[in-house]
Amino acid sequence: MKKLISVDHLQAGMFLEAEVIVEERDGEETRFLEPLNAVRTGSSAKRARLTGKMHEKISKNGGLLISSDALVTRLRETGLSMVTIDTDKGGDLAEGVKPLTDPSRRPPPEGRLVHFDEEIERATEIRDETSKTLTSALADVAEGKGVDAEKVNEASEVITESIMRNVDAMLSLTRIKKHDPYTALHCMNVCTLVVAVAQADGVDPGYLPTITAATLLHDVGKTRVPLEILNKPGRFEPHELEVMRKHAVFSGDIMREEGGFTEEQVFIAEQHHEMLDGSGYPYGLKGDEIHPYARMTAVADVYDALTAKRVYKPAMPMHMALVALLKNRGTEFDEHFVDLFVRSLGVYPVGSLVELNNKEVAVVYEPNPDNVHKPTLAIVTTSNGRPRPNPFIVNLAKRSEAEGREVAKVVDPETAGVDTEEIIEAAKTRGERTERLRR
């Protein structure tokens, strides 16, 4: 049986699923071990070089029997965080240790290593811990202590690993908004959205934590904006807006002063308010003058701002924010990245309020990467508008559950007076998967 496990649980005697990668360098072929269905992230990410005739055994057997603890250490040093083992060909996990995904279930959707419901709890914990780390880091900067780059980089790798396991889980949490002095949750949301787009764009997994760290700190410059401006509940006066717009420059300055950040990371922070047509700030850059990852960040930053509630404006429904991005596709925003962004979030992001073709009202509870038009819903009313005592969970992709139900339209939660977060929490604890009326 094949099992996806944490590399921390890899032991001698286990059989690692892997293949041989051949690269030509200076006219000579070099062979490397490439674990299958594995995740390799971080600055230490690299492949293990094969010597002798090891490549013949690996090609013949479909992997490698881990012969020693030294080999386990060597594999961990390559930056691997998750690997797949075959218990029919080698040892199993120790008693009480669970794999990252249940091997008895049908495989996760394409591009996902684990199921949404297997990652969402881990993703929530990671998000909460990272938000605390980021809040503390930003407060330190405000007090003149500098950025703890090591902590930020560690958090970046953990976030990236969660996204690599199942991008939908961490993405679904970007619906949660909370305004605080240094917008830690905003930074976390933008970071998640950008890394999801970068992953969809085929960026090398080993480089994703670099993007993650930069986007986590893209607004670090706000720590140098006077609090009376930063926390102003209404719209800015022209002179206040001028000061506020300097935060992008301040972000770049702080990262350069701190050291330990690449020029690309600084560009992400400095240029995330630049627009494709030159209408952005602080430098009025255009098109390819803007770093690609900064163009990614611009899309995510505007989306998260539009969908956040402020004293002077209500939160824009998620589907309307996506429409706004699409309207400015090719003018303010990079067309390619807008397309990837919309594809990553899906037609109906988790937390969207929808009305069905039978007049029932529901909240999107889980995404469906295989068919974005058929997510799993938490239905909260009957077809005649009566509230249900508990959310009724229905997977539209399963005919036996859907029974002809389809999403007819998206509804504005604010206008409808519906707290979608409250419904999602109720669905977790009290959700029913059997129609109450038929019991």
Side-chain angles (χ1 to χ4, degrees):
M1 183 177 284
K2 295 175 182 180
K3 296 182 179 181
L4 179 70
I5 68 168
S6 166
V7 75
D8 293 336
H9 298 141
L10 187 65
Q11 296 179 351
M14 291 180 171
F15 185 88
L16 176 72
E17 283 226 302
E19 62 183 0
V20 177
I21 298 292
V22 181
E23 292 183 3
E24 189 171 317
R25 297 179 181 179
D26 300 325
E28 292 186 9
E29 288 188 346
T30 305
R31 295 177 175 83
F32 298 91
L33 177 73
E34 183 63 23
L36 299 176
N37 295 318
V39 172
R40 179 187 285 109
T41 60
S43 57
S44 63
K46 55 187 178 181
R47 292 193 182 103
R49 186 172 178 173
L50 297 173
T51 57
K53 295 188 176 182
M54 285 182 69
H55 65 281
E56 294 180 0
K57 289 184 179 180
I58 293 167
S59 298
K60 180 182 177 181
N61 300 325
L64 175 69
L65 186 67
I66 306 299
S67 58
S68 65
D69 291 338
L71 183 53
V72 172
T73 300
R74 185 181 171 199
L75 287 168
R76 288 175 180 162
E77 288 173 349
T78 65
L80 286 166
S81 59
M82 292 163 268
V83 294
T84 299
I85 61 169
D86 189 338
T87 59
D88 293 330
K89 299 179 180 179
D92 202 344
L93 290 165
E95 189 175 348
V97 178
K98 293 182 178 180
L100 295 171
T101 187
D102 184 350
S104 66
R105 294 175 66 175
R106 62 183 298 179
E110 186 178 352
R112 281 76 178 163
L113 294 175
V114 305
H115 293 276
F116 179 90
D117 60 357
E118 293 173 322
E119 185 61 28
I120 188 63
E121 191 173 329
R122 282 191 295 252
T124 302
E125 290 174 2
I126 290 167
R127 177 184 165 89
D128 290 346
E129 285 303 311
T130 302
S131 295
K132 290 175 186 175
T133 299
L134 190 56
T135 298
S136 174
L138 295 174
D140 284 347
V141 175
E143 294 172 11
K145 297 178 183 177
V147 179
D148 189 335
E150 187 176 341
K151 276 188 179 179
V152 172
N153 288 330
E154 285 175 4
S156 300
E157 293 200 11
V158 175
I159 293 167
T160 303
E161 287 171 12
S162 176
I163 290 172
M164 294 294 291
R165 285 192 293 268
N166 186 301
V167 63
D168 307 307
M170 193 68 81
L171 267 181
S172 74
L173 298 175
T174 61
R175 70 184 188 276
I176 301 169
K177 316 289 180 184
K178 181 182 176 184
H179 189 57
D180 56 78
Y182 300 127
T183 58
L185 272 184
H186 167 68
C187 292
M188 183 71 202
N189 287 344
V190 171
C191 159
T192 300
L193 293 163
V194 172
V195 176
V197 171
Q199 182 193 29
D201 200 34
V203 173
D204 188 327
Y207 193 73
L208 290 178
T210 300
I211 300 173
T212 307
T215 47
L216 277 177
L217 294 173
H218 78 280
D219 268 348
V220 67
K222 287 183 178 178
T223 59
R224 290 187 179 176
V225 175
L227 284 175
E228 61 269 21
I229 295 178
L230 188 65
N231 292 333
K232 185 177 178 179
R235 293 188 179 277
F236 296 121
E237 296 296 327
H239 71 280
E240 294 171 329
L241 184 60
E242 186 179 345
V243 173
M244 188 65 183
R245 286 185 165 184
K246 289 180 179 177
H247 80 270
V249 176
F250 294 154
S251 291
D253 290 345
I254 290 168
M255 293 172 77
R256 286 191 180 96
E257 290 163 11
E258 183 61 33
F261 295 102
T262 67
E263 198 63 19
E264 283 194 323
Q265 289 177 305
V266 174
F267 287 153
I268 289 171
E270 233 173 21
Q271 300 176 8
H272 72 275
H273 281 296
E274 301 288 357
M275 296 288 119
L276 205 64
D277 58 5
S279 63
Y281 64 89
Y283 305 118
L285 303 178
K286 292 182 180 181
D288 290 342
E289 294 173 346
I290 309 167
H291 193 280
Y293 299 147
R295 300 204 297 269
M296 282 186 194
T297 308
V299 175
D301 185 75
V302 169
Y303 172 83
D304 194 63
L306 289 175
T307 53
K309 185 177 181 179
R310 294 288 184 264
V311 174
Y312 54 88
K313 76 165 188 72
M316 184 182 285
M318 291 180 279
H319 75 286
M320 290 301 296
L322 292 176
V323 170
L325 293 178
L326 287 166
K327 280 184 179 177
N328 290 289
R329 174 181 174 273
T331 52
E332 294 183 349
F333 306 117
D334 186 295
E335 294 182 38
H336 177 61
F337 294 141
V338 169
D339 291 345
L340 285 176
F341 188 90
V342 174
R343 198 183 312 157
S344 297
L345 268 181
V347 179
Y348 308 115
V350 171
S352 298
L353 187 68
V354 296
E355 184 179 298
L356 307 185
N357 56 342
N358 64 356
K359 300 301 180 183
E360 290 175 321
V361 174
V363 173
V364 177
Y365 185 54
E366 289 184 9
N368 179 3
D370 292 330
N371 188 338
V372 294
H373 294 280
K374 295 183 181 294
T376 295
L377 306 176
I379 301 175
V380 293
T381 73
T382 60
S383 55
N384 60 10
R386 283 188 310 165
R388 290 176 178 269
N390 294 311
F392 177 39
I393 312 299
V394 171
N395 183 345
L396 293 185
K398 293 183 178 179
R399 287 187 181 181
S400 59
E401 291 186 26
E403 295 186 326
R405 291 180 176 93
E406 293 179 356
V407 175
K409 64 179 181 179
V410 182
V411 180
D412 182 355
E414 189 122 350
T415 304
V418 175
D419 187 335
T420 56
E421 280 310 300
E422 193 175 279
I423 291 167
I424 286 176
E425 287 306 310
K428 289 178 185 176
T429 56
R430 309 195 312 271
E432 300 176 345
R433 294 184 181 266
T434 304
E435 179 68 89
R436 180 178 284 266
L437 300 176
R438 296 184 181 177
R439 290 177 181 174

